[in-house]
Amino acid sequence: MINQEPRQKAIIKPLRTQPPKRSETERSFDKPFGTLGGSVPTTNPSGVGETVYDQSEPSTSKKPSLQVNISGKRKSDEAHANKQTTKRQRDAASRITETFETETKTEVKKIMQRVKSKLDDLPSTKLIDFLRGKIQMLEKVKKEIVGVFGKTGAGKSFLINTILGETKLLPSGNQGACTSVMIQVEANMTDSKYIAEIEFMTEEEWKEELWSIFRDRSYEDGNDEDQERDDDDDDDDDGKISALYGKDGRGATLEELMDRRHFSEIPEFRLSVKKIFLCDTAEELSEKITCYTRSDTQSDTFKRQYWPLVKCITIKVPNSKDLLEDVVLVDLPGNGDCNKSRDEMWKSFVGNCSAVWIVSDIARATSEKESWDILDSTVSLFGPGGECRSISFICTKTDDIEENQKADARTCILRRNETTKRQVRDKFNKQKETKKHFSGGKDFLQVFTVSSKEYQKEKHLQKEETEIPKLQEFLRNLNDRSTKTSDYVSGAYGILSLIQGANSSDKTDNKEEVCQVLEQRLKDGIKSIGQTMDEAYETFERCLSEGVRQSEKSCEQVMNKVIAPKGKKGGGYQIMKSLCKNGGVHKPKGKKERRRGINLNESLASCMRRLIDDQFKIHFPNEGKRGPIKEQIDHFTLDTNSLVGEHKEVSLHLTFLKTEETVLKAKLICDLREKKKKIYSTLTESIKDTMHRCYIRASEHTGKDALKRMKDELHHHMKNNNIFQKAKEDMLDCLTNLKEHIVMQLKCKLQEAMDLSLKTPNSSFLPDDVTVEYNKMKMGYEKLMGCSGTVQITPRLDLHTNTTTFELQSGNGRKRVQVSTSVTMLNPEIVKELTTHNRKPTYRLQCPEAGLFQCSSTGLVFLMEGKGNVVYRMTQWDSSFLGSMTPAGPLYSIDCPEQSVRQLHLPHCMCDEKDDNLSVAHVTDGNMEIVQPLKTTATHVIVNITHLSLFGLIRNWFSFLPVRSQVLLFFRPQGNRPQQPILNVFLLPKNVPLCKVEHQQRGSTFIQTSSNCTLSPRGKYGLCCELVANSRIQPKSGQFDYDYSPNFHPTFQVFLDGMSGAENIRLSLLDRGSNDQIVWDCLIPTDLEAPQVNPINPNPGAEAELNQLSGEAFVDKHMADLIQRVTMVPSVADDLVTKNMIQQEMYSKIINASTSQEQMRLVFYAARTGGTRVKSALYNSLQIYEPHLVQDLCKIELL
C-alpha cells in the first residue's frame, strides 16, 4: 500500500537514565540504524506530553469483558474513560513499535538491495546463484484470506465498508442481491487510487453455460415418463439472461445470444483479459462496478448488467496497509455456483481461508437457517480440507431496537448483545457434525455483535462498544506485520552471515569436523520424522480399510438416499440427469439455491471420511495442538548453537545454517498445510475420476424408464470397479508422497546449505568486503530481537526562517543542529570505478558541512545535517509499481555512507507549483510508497527523508497540463558520409539532466542554444528546417512523450544533405494541435564538428582546471569571452536575482537590453560592484547554464 502520510515524526524524550557505555564499533553503527533501536515507549501517565520508555514487555492480557449490570451512569462513564486512557497509551506504544519495526525492515531491505547489486555484478557460480535465490525468496509472503459469508441483506458489504473506513466502497443497502459474484478486497500498495479488476469467465465458458440452460429447458425425448419440470429452476437462468440481454434474450437462440454486439461495451470479455477501473474515490468506483455485481434495480428502462459473466472482482483500497497489507477480505456466496469455473474459484477461496466470518442480522442470528446451513455445507472445505484457524459469528445491526427501548437504548443494546453471544455459542456447541472437524481451541469460535451505523454516528454507543474496532484488531493480528518483519530480518541476517563467513575464513579441518557432526544430526532428525510419518500411514491404513468394507456394503443405500425424489411423484430424473451431466454434482437453481446442493461423490466417500476424521484432526489440525507431524518438524534441529563455543572460526557459517533451518521448517509447515488439503480431498476426487465414464454413459439414457437405467448403470459400475479400494490407495499414496517431500526437502536443502557454507572453498567470486553491511545488519537484527538501545526520531524541519534547526535524539540526550537555508552549488565528480562505457554515470557530491548543497549536473539539492559524501545515479523506473501514475522526473538511486542527508529537493518541470498531481515515490526493494512533499517551490519538490534508496517524482497519468520542456540538439556525421550529417532533435521535460542525454550521445556535438519551451504531454508536434535546400526531416509529426526512460531517442532527425553555401540553419517547432503555431525556434551555425569524447570524462584537463581556478578568478580572466559567447543570459540573471546577488532594478535592465552582449556587460558591471560574493555566484550560474562554455574556456587555458 502507498502511504501518503507526511514522513515527519514527533520528538520523543527518553528516560533520564545513563545508558551503559558501548564500544566505538557499536556507536559507529548507531548512525545507520539510528531510527531502529530502542525499547518500546509508552505514554507518560502524567499527561505532560512527554513519552517515556518502559523496559518491561508490553501487556498481552485481554481486555475485561463488558459488564451489563451498570450500577450508575457516572461509574460507567468513569470506567469507560479509564479504559479509553489505557487504550490510548497502549495504541501509542503500539504505533511507535510498528514504526520501529517498519523502519528496521526498510533499512534491512536497503542493505540487501546493495548486496544484491554486488551479486548481480559477479559471474554466475553455484554459490552466487544460491545467494541470489535466497534474496529473492525473502520477498515472498503468503497472504491470509478471510472468507465473509452471509445471507443477502445481512450487512456484509456495509460491514466491510465500515471496517475499512470507506462508507461507499462495496454496493450495499436496498439494492437487492448485491454480492452474487465473489469480491475480494485487498490493499493498494502502489498508489492512492481505488482500483477494481474484473475477471470474466471465458467466452467458451459462457457459451457452455447458455447451452446448459437450453439443454435443461428442452428434452429430446418427449415420452420420458420420469421427466418433470420445476418452474422454480428457471428463476436463476431467466434472471441471468434478462439481466444481460433484456428483451433481446426472450426466445433468442444460442447463436443470437453469443452475438458480439451484446458484448461491445466489454471487449475485455472477448479478449479474456481483466477489465480495470481506476478511480479517485470509493464512491466513484462503487458506481462503476454496480452493473458487474448482482443489483436488482427497479428501473423501468433496461440497463445491461454484466454480473452473469463475472467470475471475481478484486478491489484494491489505498491507505489500508495497517489492516490489509498481507490480508485479503473475500465476500463469498454461501454455496458455490452452478457455473463450473466460478465454482472452482469459489472452492479455492474457501479452501484457502485462514478465518471464516459468518455474518447474520442479530435479530435472526440463531433462528435463521441459512447462516447455519452455510457453515454446515462448507465446513469440510475450510476445515480438514482447508486451513481455517478460527470461525467468527458476526451479528450485525445491533442498533436496530424496538421503539419502546430507545429511552434506555445503550443498556438494551448491550444486554441483547451479551444474550445473543451466549445463544450463538450454545448453538454452535450443539453442531456436532461441524465441531468434529476442529480441535476446538480456546479462541477458535468468536462472536462479535456489531453496529456499523453506531460506529459512524455514535448516537447510543461509543466506538469500542460497537465492536468494529475489535474486528479491525482481528485483521491487524492476522496481518501480523511484526512476525513478517522478524522473518525477513532473520533471513537476511543469515545470508549476510554466510557471505561474511566465506570471506573471512579458509577451508580447514575444523570445517570438515563440524560438517560431519551436522550431517549425522541431519540423518537422525530425518529418521525421527520418517518414523512419525510411518506411524501416521499405518493409522490411516487401518481406518481406510474399515471404510472400504463399510462403503461397499452401504453404497447402494447411500446413492438411493441422495437421489430419492422429494415432494414430486415419479421424481428424481432431473436430479439424476444433472448429477451425471456434471460429474456427480447437482446444484439447485433459482429459489432452490437456499437448499444444499448434492454431491454424490462426497456422499459415497462419506463413510470412509467419517472413519478417518478423528485421526485427521489429530494429525493435521488447523488450530490448537500442533499434531505429531508438525511437532516433529518443529522439534527438528541441527543444534548449531552447541557448536559455536568450540568452533568460533565458523560461527558465521553456523549462524547462516541456523537461519536456513528456521526458514526451511517454516516452509515445510506451509507445505504440510497445503498438502493435507489435497490428501483430505483425495477420497472424493478419486471416486469422481473412477466414476467419470460411468456418469457420461448414464447421462445418455433417455426415454421410458430412463431413471431406472441410469441408477442401474451407476450400481453396476460401483460394484465392478472397486472404487473405494482405489480411493484408499490414492489417499495412502498421497501420505507417502508427503513423507518423501518432507524428507527430501530437509535432506537436499540443508545438505546443500552445509556444502555451500562448509565445503565450498572460499572464492574471489564472492562480493567484495561486506563487513559494513554485515555489522549494520547484525545491529538491526539484535535490536529487533532484543529491543535494546534508543530510538532516534526523524527530525522536524522549519523552512519558514532563514535557518533550519534539527533536533536529534541520541543516547546522550537531544542535539540541535542549525544550518543556513541558502544553497551552495557544487560540481559532482564522476565515480570512475562505478562508471563504464556501457553504464550510467555515478556521481559523488562531497558536502563539507551541514547545509543545503545543489548538484550542478542534475539540479538535486541535499539538506545535510553534517559532512557527508552523497553518491547517486539515475536508474530505470519499473512500470509495475506505477499503476495509474507516470514518472514526472528521473528515478535517482541515492546513498550516503555517513547517513547525514535529512532532506531531498527533487527538480520538477511543472508550470504551476500548486499542481497537486505531483507526488514523491520512494522505492525500497520491490515496494513503492508515496511520500507526502513538505513543500513545492517553483523549481523543486521538497521531502523529508529518514533513509535513502530510490526517489523520484510521479504524477497522475491522466494529467495533460503543459510542462516546462527543453529542445536539445545533437549534431552527428554519418560515418563515411561526412557531407551528409544528421541533426538529432530531442523533446524532453526540463528536469531531464543534460548530462544524462550527453552521456548517451557520445560522439555527437551538443549544440548550445536557447532550449526552453512549454509542451503538452502526448501532444503532437512538427519540425520545420529553413535555409538548407536539401534537408529532410523524419517523422513529419512526433509526439512529446514526457519521457524519463533510461534510453532517450530523438523525436526528430534532420538529414542535412547539402549545407554548402548556408551559414545558418533555422529550426522551428510547430504545435500540430494549434494550427502549427510556433512554440520554439532557433538559429544555429553550420560549421559544426564532432569532437572526440572520452566516455568517462569528456574533459579531463578541464576538470583539473576547474579544481584549480576559483570562481572569482575565472570570471575575471575570461570576461571578454564570456561577454561574446554566453547566450543563456536571462537564465543567469534569474539565478542571480533569486539568490539576492543583484537588485531588481539591475535585473530589469539586463532583461530589457537588446543583445546578449549588452546583457552580459550589465551582468559584469553588477559583479564588479558586488565583489567576490557576486562573482562566485555568477561562476556557479555559468556552470549550470553554460557548462560546455566553461569547460571549453578551461581547456583553452591549459593548451
Side-chain angles (χ1 to χ4, degrees):
M1 188 189 71
I2 292 177
N3 178 16
Q4 290 186 306
E5 292 298 319
R7 296 180 65 83
Q8 300 181 16
K9 302 176 181 63
I11 302 300
I12 296 181
K13 297 182 180 180
L15 280 173
R16 298 180 181 178
T17 56
Q18 185 66 28
K21 293 184 178 180
R22 289 144 54 236
S23 68
E24 288 297 324
T25 302
E26 287 177 313
R27 289 198 296 272
S28 69
F29 290 112
D30 269 350
K31 194 146 191 130
F33 266 98
T35 61
L36 304 182
S39 55
V40 179
T42 59
T43 304
N44 186 349
S46 63
V48 295
E50 187 175 42
T51 302
V52 298
Y53 293 96
D54 181 5
Q55 302 297 333
S56 63
E57 290 294 322
S59 172
T60 57
S61 60
K62 294 188 177 181
K63 291 178 283 187
S65 59
L66 177 65
Q67 300 298 320
V68 179
N69 297 324
I70 305 168
S71 59
K73 188 175 187 303
R74 181 175 179 181
K75 182 177 179 180
S76 174
D77 291 343
E78 288 177 357
H80 181 72
N82 291 335
K83 190 179 292 186
Q84 291 299 309
T85 300
T86 302
K87 181 181 181 301
R88 283 194 297 271
Q89 293 173 352
R90 188 167 55 246
D91 289 347
S94 177
R95 283 193 298 272
I96 295 174
T97 302
E98 288 176 5
T99 300
F100 160 63
E101 291 173 345
T102 300
E103 292 184 347
T104 300
K105 187 174 182 181
T106 301
E107 183 66 24
V108 169
K109 283 191 172 187
K110 175 185 172 183
I111 292 172
M112 296 310 294
Q113 188 177 27
R114 290 202 298 267
V115 174
K116 183 178 182 297
S117 297
K118 291 182 179 182
L119 290 171
D120 289 342
D121 291 337
L122 297 175
S124 182
T125 65
K126 186 176 181 180
L127 178 56
I128 295 299
D129 292 342
F130 176 81
L131 292 170
R132 289 171 180 162
K134 287 297 172 185
I135 293 175
Q136 288 180 351
M137 287 295 296
L138 288 175
E139 297 299 327
K140 295 186 178 180
V141 178
K142 182 180 182 296
K143 291 196 173 187
E144 307 285 353
I145 294 178
V146 178
V148 185
F149 298 84
K151 177 184 176 182
T152 299
K156 290 186 297 179
S157 299
F158 193 15
L159 176 67
I160 294 174
N161 289 347
T162 305
I163 290 172
L164 299 180
E166 302 287 353
T167 57
K168 298 182 179 180
L169 180 63
L170 301 182
S172 62
N174 299 320
Q175 299 180 8
C178 298
T179 49
S180 173
V181 300
M182 289 166 282
I183 301 178
Q184 55 178 335
V185 184
E186 58 188 55
N188 178 2
M189 303 290 290
T190 306
D191 55 30
S192 59
K193 292 289 185 181
Y194 292 84
I195 302 174
E197 297 176 352
I198 300 174
E199 181 180 354
F200 298 99
M201 66 176 69
T202 65
E203 201 169 0
E204 191 62 33
E205 287 169 343
W206 176 238
K207 185 176 182 179
E208 183 179 340
E209 182 163 345
L210 288 175
W211 182 82
S212 176
I213 292 173
F214 281 106
R215 181 195 63 198
D216 291 344
R217 286 180 175 178
S218 59
Y219 294 86
E220 295 177 4
D221 190 347
N223 297 321
D224 191 336
E225 67 177 18
D226 290 315
Q227 76 176 13
E228 71 284 332
R229 191 67 188 156
D230 189 341
D231 293 336
D232 286 345
D233 282 351
D234 291 334
D235 291 351
D236 190 56
D237 296 338
D238 290 341
K240 291 179 179 178
I241 292 177
S242 62
L244 183 58
Y245 300 101
K247 296 179 179 179
D248 293 343
R250 297 176 184 173
T253 64
L254 178 62
E255 290 72 20
E256 290 171 339
L257 293 180
M258 290 302 298
D259 192 290
R260 292 188 173 185
R261 65 186 174 86
H262 298 300
F263 317 110
S264 59
E265 295 180 6
I266 48 169
E268 296 86 355
F269 166 66
R270 291 177 42 246
L271 296 172
S272 295
V273 296
K274 293 180 180 180
K275 188 174 186 67
I276 299 176
F277 292 109
L278 303 173
C279 301
D280 293 321
T281 65
E283 184 176 6
E284 180 186 357
L285 184 72
S286 180
E287 183 178 348
K288 286 188 175 182
I289 67 172
T290 296
C291 61
Y292 299 94
T293 61
R294 184 164 189 168
S295 180
D296 300 332
T297 61
Q298 303 298 321
S299 174
D300 295 333
T301 59
F302 172 68
K303 183 177 180 181
R304 201 180 298 275
Q305 297 172 352
Y306 296 108
W307 59 263
L309 305 175
V310 176
K311 284 175 66 175
C312 177
I313 298 178
T314 299
I315 294 177
K316 298 183 179 181
V317 185
N319 306 319
S320 55
K321 185 176 182 179
D322 181 41
L323 301 177
L324 299 181
E325 180 178 4
D326 293 310
V327 173
V328 181
L329 286 170
V330 187
D331 189 349
L332 290 164
N335 290 307
D337 198 279
C338 298
N339 177 270
K340 182 179 179 181
S341 63
R342 276 198 294 253
D343 193 58
E344 288 176 354
M345 179 176 281
W346 177 83
K347 286 181 180 177
S348 175
F349 275 129
V350 175
N352 289 323
C353 284
S354 301
V356 168
W357 289 0
I358 307 292
V359 181
S360 177
D361 187 328
I362 192 171
R364 295 179 290 276
T366 54
S367 61
E368 187 174 68
K369 188 173 183 293
E370 187 168 345
S371 296
W372 295 92
D373 282 347
I374 290 173
L375 179 62
D376 191 34
S377 62
T378 57
V379 66
S380 63
L381 292 173
F382 63 72
E387 52 186 271
C388 177
R389 300 191 294 276
S390 73
I391 295 176
S392 298
F393 268 85
I394 302 175
C395 307
T396 59
K397 305 180 183 180
T398 61
D399 57 283
D400 190 2
I401 57 177
E402 299 292 337
E403 190 67 30
N404 59 2
Q405 296 177 319
K406 291 185 178 179
D408 194 9
R410 179 172 178 270
T411 301
C412 292
I413 292 172
L414 296 179
R415 182 178 291 115
R416 182 175 65 171
N417 289 352
E418 290 301 310
T419 301
T420 303
K421 286 181 179 182
R422 185 176 62 256
Q423 291 174 344
V424 169
R425 291 192 185 98
D426 290 344
K427 183 162 185 176
F428 179 81
N429 289 330
K430 294 177 182 178
Q431 308 296 310
K432 302 300 182 182
E433 288 300 311
T434 299
K435 285 194 65 180
K436 74 177 184 180
H437 293 296
F438 302 98
S439 301
K442 181 179 179 183
D443 295 323
F444 176 71
L445 175 68
Q446 299 183 66
V447 184
F448 299 92
T449 48
V450 304
S451 171
S452 298
K453 288 184 179 179
E454 282 294 319
Y455 180 79
Q456 294 173 2
K457 298 180 180 179
E458 293 188 79
K459 185 177 180 182
H460 302 299
L461 303 177
Q462 299 290 334
K463 284 186 181 293
E464 285 296 317
E465 294 171 330
T466 68
E467 298 198 2
I468 294 293
K470 288 186 178 180
L471 291 176
Q472 293 170 334
E473 189 63 24
F474 181 99
L475 294 178
R476 288 191 189 94
N477 292 335
L478 197 60
N479 207 12
D480 198 7
R481 296 169 68 184
S482 178
T483 299
K484 291 179 175 63
T485 297
S486 298
D487 291 345
Y488 184 93
V489 175
S490 298
Y493 180 49
I495 293 169
L496 270 177
S497 296
L498 174 59
I499 298 174
Q500 181 71 358
N503 277 333
S504 59
S505 66
D506 296 323
K507 190 174 187 296
T508 64
D509 292 338
N510 287 337
K511 277 189 177 182
E512 295 179 2
E513 179 185 343
V514 170
C515 198
Q516 290 174 1
V517 173
L518 293 175
E519 286 176 346
Q520 185 58 49
R521 291 178 180 178
L522 176 60
K523 290 180 181 178
D524 293 342
I526 288 175
K527 182 179 179 181
S528 178
I529 291 177
Q531 290 174 347
T532 300
M533 296 292 295
D534 290 341
E535 292 171 3
Y537 183 96
E538 293 173 1
T539 299
F540 281 104
E541 184 177 32
R542 288 194 298 270
C543 296
L544 289 169
S545 297
E546 178 62 20
V548 170
R549 188 186 67 79
Q550 293 187 19
S551 295
E552 289 175 343
K553 183 178 179 181
S554 62
C555 63
E556 184 172 347
Q557 180 182 355
V558 168
M559 191 181 75
N560 288 333
K561 182 178 179 181
V562 168
I563 62 175
K566 295 182 179 181
K568 295 254 182 201
K569 185 177 180 180
Y573 177 81
Q574 282 193 82
I575 294 176
M576 179 63 87
K577 191 81 172 178
S578 176
L579 281 171
C580 295
K581 287 285 186 182
N582 294 286
V585 179
H586 167 69
K587 289 187 175 294
K589 300 179 181 178
K591 295 177 182 178
K592 293 185 178 181
E593 280 185 343
R594 296 182 181 180
R595 296 209 308 260
R596 184 193 294 192
I598 298 173
N599 190 326
L600 181 57
N601 306 309
E602 286 191 355
S603 298
L604 292 172
S606 61
C607 184
M608 298 178 73
R609 273 190 172 174
R610 186 171 60 253
L611 289 170
I612 67 167
D613 272 344
D614 287 342
Q615 289 300 324
F616 204 89
K617 180 173 62 175
I618 292 171
H619 284 82
F620 303 104
N622 287 343
E623 81 307 332
K625 296 181 180 180
R626 292 178 293 179
I629 300 174
K630 182 176 182 293
E631 189 171 3
Q632 279 293 325
I633 295 174
D634 283 338
H635 287 166
F636 172 88
T637 180
L638 296 176
D639 194 16
T640 54
N641 288 341
S642 65
L643 299 173
V644 173
E646 297 181 13
H647 304 280
K648 293 182 180 179
E649 68 280 359
V650 293
S651 60
L652 292 173
H653 307 73
L654 294 172
T655 298
F656 161 71
L657 289 173
K658 179 179 176 58
T659 58
E660 187 67 7
E661 174 193 304
T662 302
V663 170
L664 179 57
K665 291 197 305 186
K667 180 181 181 299
L668 286 177
I669 289 172
C670 288
D671 292 346
L672 179 65
R673 190 182 303 129
E674 288 297 321
K675 290 183 179 295
K676 74 99 175 179
K677 291 189 283 188
K678 182 178 180 182
I679 292 172
Y680 191 77
S681 64
T682 299
L683 296 177
T684 300
E685 292 300 317
S686 176
I687 290 173
K688 179 181 177 181
D689 291 342
T690 308
M691 296 287 292
H692 176 67
R693 292 185 179 180
C694 175
Y695 286 139
I696 295 176
R697 291 195 303 268
S699 68
E700 295 172 350
H701 288 290
T702 59
K704 188 176 181 179
D705 296 328
L707 177 60
K708 182 178 182 302
R709 284 183 279 122
M710 282 192 282
K711 288 182 179 181
D712 292 342
E713 183 80 46
L714 297 180
H715 285 309
H716 182 267
H717 185 85
M718 285 187 286
K719 183 177 180 180
N720 293 283
N721 286 274
N722 298 321
I723 64 172
F724 303 109
Q725 181 64 30
K726 184 178 183 305
K728 167 194 167 183
E729 293 171 357
D730 287 346
M731 187 172 190
L732 293 175
D733 285 345
C734 285
L735 286 169
T736 300
N737 292 338
L738 174 62
K739 174 189 172 182
E740 291 175 352
H741 174 77
I742 293 174
V743 169
M744 290 304 295
Q745 285 288 304
L746 285 170
K747 184 176 181 180
C748 295
K749 297 294 184 182
L750 289 181
Q751 187 64 57
E752 180 186 31
M754 286 188 286
D755 290 347
L756 290 170
S757 59
L758 297 172
K759 293 184 178 181
T760 302
N762 297 319
S763 170
S764 59
F765 291 111
L766 279 171
D768 294 335
D769 186 24
V770 293
T771 302
V772 173
E773 288 86 354
Y774 169 77
N775 283 317
K776 288 181 180 179
M777 179 71 72
K778 182 180 179 183
M779 178 162 286
Y781 172 80
E782 290 175 349
K783 286 183 177 180
L784 182 67
M785 301 305 171
C787 290
S788 62
T790 306
V791 179
Q792 180 182 14
I793 302 301
T794 306
R796 282 187 186 273
L797 306 180
D798 180 7
L799 298 181
H800 300 290
T801 64
N802 292 328
T803 61
T804 297
T805 301
F806 293 93
E807 288 185 310
L808 302 177
Q809 283 302 129
S810 66
N812 297 320
R814 181 175 296 177
K815 175 185 176 184
R816 285 181 176 268
V817 179
Q818 192 173 63
V819 299
S820 172
T821 56
S822 61
V823 180
T824 301
M825 184 72 65
L826 296 177
N827 293 318
E829 63 171 317
I830 295 178
V831 186
K832 295 184 179 180
E833 60 269 23
L834 298 178
T835 304
T836 64
H837 180 77
N838 296 317
R839 191 167 178 178
K840 304 177 185 69
T842 298
Y843 300 94
R844 180 188 290 120
L845 200 68
Q846 297 180 348
C847 304
E849 58 187 0
L852 281 166
F853 298 93
Q854 183 170 18
C855 169
S856 62
S857 295
T858 62
L860 287 170
V861 179
F862 306 97
L863 178 59
M864 311 292 292
E865 72 173 31
K867 180 179 178 180
N869 293 324
V870 187
V871 181
Y872 50 97
R873 63 183 174 88
M874 285 158 275
T875 188
Q876 184 174 358
W877 283 98
D878 186 343
S879 59
S880 65
F881 290 144
L882 296 173
S884 63
M885 308 298 282
T886 189
L891 182 63
Y892 292 96
S893 175
I894 307 172
D895 192 18
C896 178
E898 297 81 5
Q899 299 287 311
S900 51
V901 181
R902 282 295 169 263
Q903 199 178 81
L904 183 63
H905 300 211
L906 295 161
H908 71 77
C909 61
M910 307 308 296
C911 296
D912 183 3
E913 64 188 77
K914 297 180 181 179
D915 184 359
D916 58 3
N917 286 317
L918 212 54
S919 302
V920 178
H922 178 208
V923 182
T924 305
D925 198 21
N927 294 307
M928 187 181 89
E929 64 175 345
I930 291 181
V931 182
Q932 188 70 22
L934 181 68
K935 183 180 179 182
T936 302
T937 69
T939 58
H940 288 77
V941 176
I942 304 173
V943 62
N944 281 341
I945 58 175
T946 57
H947 56 276
L948 293 167
S949 55
L950 301 179
F951 285 90
L953 295 178
I954 57 176
R955 72 168 185 169
N956 194 318
W957 189 89
F958 300 99
S959 176
F960 292 89
L961 294 175
V963 297
R964 291 184 291 116
S965 308
Q966 56 185 337
V967 181
L968 301 182
L969 308 177
F970 287 87
F971 180 82
R972 178 171 63 86
Q974 291 194 69
N976 58 358
R977 292 185 292 174
Q979 301 304 317
Q980 299 178 348
I982 296 176
L983 187 63
N984 288 328
V985 181
F986 294 81
L987 305 186
L988 296 170
K990 187 65 177 176
N991 58 343
V992 172
L994 173 62
C995 60
K996 183 176 181 180
V997 187
E998 281 187 304
H999 186 77
Q1000 292 185 0
Q1001 294 297 310
R1002 294 182 298 273
S1004 298
T1005 301
F1006 171 67
I1007 302 175
Q1008 182 75 46
T1009 184
S1010 176
S1011 62
N1012 296 334
C1013 60
T1014 300
L1015 304 177
S1016 298
R1018 297 182 287 283
K1020 294 289 186 179
Y1021 295 91
L1023 189 69
C1024 177
C1025 177
E1026 301 176 18
L1027 306 182
V1028 177
N1030 297 324
S1031 64
R1032 294 178 292 109
I1033 301 175
Q1034 67 175 24
K1036 292 183 179 180
S1037 294
Q1039 179 172 290
F1040 175 53
D1041 289 326
Y1042 195 64
D1043 189 18
Y1044 293 96
S1045 61
N1047 298 309
F1048 297 104
H1049 302 285
T1051 310
F1052 301 100
Q1053 286 189 312
V1054 183
F1055 296 86
L1056 304 170
D1057 295 339
M1059 293 195 301
S1060 58
E1063 295 183 359
N1064 297 292
I1065 304 171
R1066 179 177 294 280
L1067 293 178
S1068 301
L1069 187 65
L1070 312 177
D1071 187 347
R1072 296 300 194 200
S1074 300
N1075 297 321
D1076 285 350
Q1077 178 182 350
I1078 296 177
V1079 294
W1080 171 89
D1081 69 340
C1082 74
L1083 195 66
I1084 60 175
T1086 59
D1087 53 343
L1088 302 169
E1089 294 183 3
Q1092 298 297 319
V1093 181
N1094 183 319
I1096 299 298
N1097 189 349
N1099 294 295
E1103 181 181 1
E1105 173 67 2
L1106 285 173
N1107 292 332
Q1108 296 169 9
L1109 205 57
S1110 70
E1112 180 181 11
F1114 178 88
V1115 170
D1116 289 339
K1117 180 179 289 188
H1118 299 293
M1119 181 180 68
D1121 288 317
L1122 293 172
I1123 289 175
Q1124 295 299 320
R1125 298 176 61 181
V1126 172
T1127 59
M1128 304 291 290
V1129 187
S1131 298
V1132 172
D1134 288 344
D1135 192 42
L1136 293 175
V1137 74
T1138 301
K1139 296 176 180 177
N1140 296 322
M1141 295 296 165
I1142 60 175
Q1143 300 297 320
Q1144 187 66 40
E1145 181 179 355
M1146 176 57 72
Y1147 173 77
S1148 299
K1149 289 181 180 180
I1150 294 171
I1151 297 300
N1152 293 328
S1154 58
T1155 65
S1156 62
Q1157 288 82 4
E1158 290 182 21
Q1159 290 176 327
M1160 277 304 295
R1161 289 189 181 95
L1162 290 170
V1163 169
F1164 269 101
Y1165 174 79
R1168 285 195 300 270
T1169 305
T1172 302
R1173 176 169 163 270
V1174 179
K1175 288 180 181 179
S1176 296
L1178 172 58
Y1179 171 68
N1180 290 335
S1181 295
L1182 291 172
Q1183 286 184 302
I1184 298 173
Y1185 298 106
E1186 298 282 359
H1188 294 274
L1189 175 57
V1190 172
Q1191 290 177 353
D1192 188 43
L1193 291 174
C1194 291
K1195 189 175 181 181
I1196 292 172
E1197 182 66 24
L1198 289 174
L1199 296 176

